[in-house]
Structures are given as C-alpha cells and as structure tokens.
C-alpha cells in the first residue's frame, strides 16, 4: 500500500495557518482529474475560505466546530441533471454523487501528500447548506472537506 493511505486519517483540529494558493491549486487539479461517468464530470467544487461562511457551514454541519477552524472548506456538489441527460435515473441518483465523491477522495489524498490534513464531513443539513451557498436545485452538496495544517 502506498504510504499516502497510511498517512491519511480524519483530522478535526487545525492551526490557524492559511493554505498556500499553489497547494489549493494542486488539490483542485487532483480533484478535477478524478474519473466520472461518461466523462461528464457531473460535479462542482467550491473552495470556501471566508471565516463567516465557514462558521455558517459548521453550524449547518450540526455544530461540528472544526469545520470553521479549518482555514479552507471544500464543498463537493453533485450535478444530477448533467448525468441524468445521458444516464437517466441512474445518472441522477448514483453517478453524479459518485462523480462528486471520488473527486473528494482525490482532493483529500492530494492534500495529505502536501502535508495537510482534513476530515470528510457528510453530516450536515442539506437545505441550510444550499441557503448558505446559494445553490439551486441542479446542485446537490454531498460532502464537505475542511482542510488545513493539523493541530
Ligand atoms: C460518507 C462519510 C461521512 C462522514 N461524515 C463525517 C462527519 O460528519 N463528521 C466527522 O467528524 N467525520 C465524518 N466522517 C469521517 C469518518 O468518521 C472517518 O473517516 C472514520 O471514522 C474513519 O477514520 P479515519 O478517516 O481516520 O480512517 C465521514 C466519513 C465518510 C466516508
């Protein structure tokens, strides 16, 4: 097994050091390189650094405070309609979610390789998340990934 898999573990405490732009770029590049059904890339990734928004995201994640403590929160959105155009119900209910979550996995592993840590957060109020991020019905938030330097 590659050492990156041993290094990766869920981290829920971060020091207040910001993430360098080059590192964020590499993480996003890795995420966008992930495969997708029919290569449709039925996903979108938002990078949230704004403190007030991170605090709101932490609240929407049922008070998981480490979400706000991390200097950066990546939000992975599935685009069900994009996949449904080609794959119907299966695209809408399954492939779009998989397109988004495999990108989250790639992002997390790339972050670890850059000396960063994170935690996959799936427990959040979806409607509240939609409100905070101004998402319409075509975008479904499926996972958030707070990342930063581990405390
Ligand atoms: C789909 C999914 C949802 C998760 N949601 C949360 C969450 O809301 N909050 C949290 O602290 N950890 C969450 N986790 C992280 C798991 O608790 C963690 O991966 C698991 O306990 C194994 O620990 P490890 O990641 O250190 O190997 C989630 C993980 C996955 C894959």
């Amino acid at each position: 097994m590659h050492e990156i898999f041993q290094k990766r573990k869920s981290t829920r405490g971060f020091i207040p050091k910001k993430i360098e732009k080059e590192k964020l770029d590499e993480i996003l590049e890795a995420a966008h390189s992930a495969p997708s059904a029919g290569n449709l890339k039925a996903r979108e990734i938002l990078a949230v650094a704004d403190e007030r928004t991170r605090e709101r995201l932490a609240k929407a994640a049922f008070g998981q405070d480490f979400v706000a403590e991390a200097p950066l929160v990546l939000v992975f959105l599935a685009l069900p309609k994009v996949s449904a155009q080609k794959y119907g119900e299966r695209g809408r209910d399954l492939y779009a979610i998989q397109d988004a979550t495999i990108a989250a996995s790639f992002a997390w592993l790339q972050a670890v390789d850059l000396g960063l840590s994170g935690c996959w957060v799936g427990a959040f109020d979806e409607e509240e998340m939609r409100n905070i991020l101004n998402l319409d019905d075509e975008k479904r938030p499926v996972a958030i990934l707070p990342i930063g330097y581990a405390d």
Side-chain angles (χ1 to χ4, degrees), residues 19-98:
I19 293 176
E20 298 81 349
K21 189 185 174 302
E22 306 75 55
K23 290 195 177 182
L24 171 59
D25 289 346
E26 264 197 79
I27 292 165
L28 293 177
E29 192 185 344
H32 287 299
S33 79
S36 62
N39 205 22
L40 292 175
K41 298 182 189 291
R43 62 181 169 233
E44 212 174 283
I45 305 164
L46 304 178
V48 178
D50 175 68
E51 192 177 355
R52 176 75 192 113
T53 310
R54 284 187 281 119
E55 281 167 4
R56 293 179 71 199
L57 294 180
K59 243 179 127 184
F62 309 112
Q64 299 190 74
D65 290 339
F66 65 88
V67 172
E69 197 177 290
L72 186 75
V73 181
L74 297 180
V75 182
F76 293 85
L77 309 174
L79 309 180
K81 278 199 178 160
V82 171
S83 204
Q85 277 168 17
K86 187 165 181 189
Y87 298 113
E89 232 173 77
R90 197 164 173 79
R92 186 192 66 208
D93 297 341
L94 184 64
Y95 293 165
I97 292 165
Q98 291 180 334

Side-chain angles (χ1 to χ4, degrees), residues 8-12 61 64 66 108 119-124 142-143:
R8 185 217 58 80
K9 60 178 190 308
S10 296
T11 302
R12 300 178 179 86
Q64 299 190 74
F66 65 88
W108 193 358
C119 184
W120 188 298
V121 173
F124 54 79
V142 290

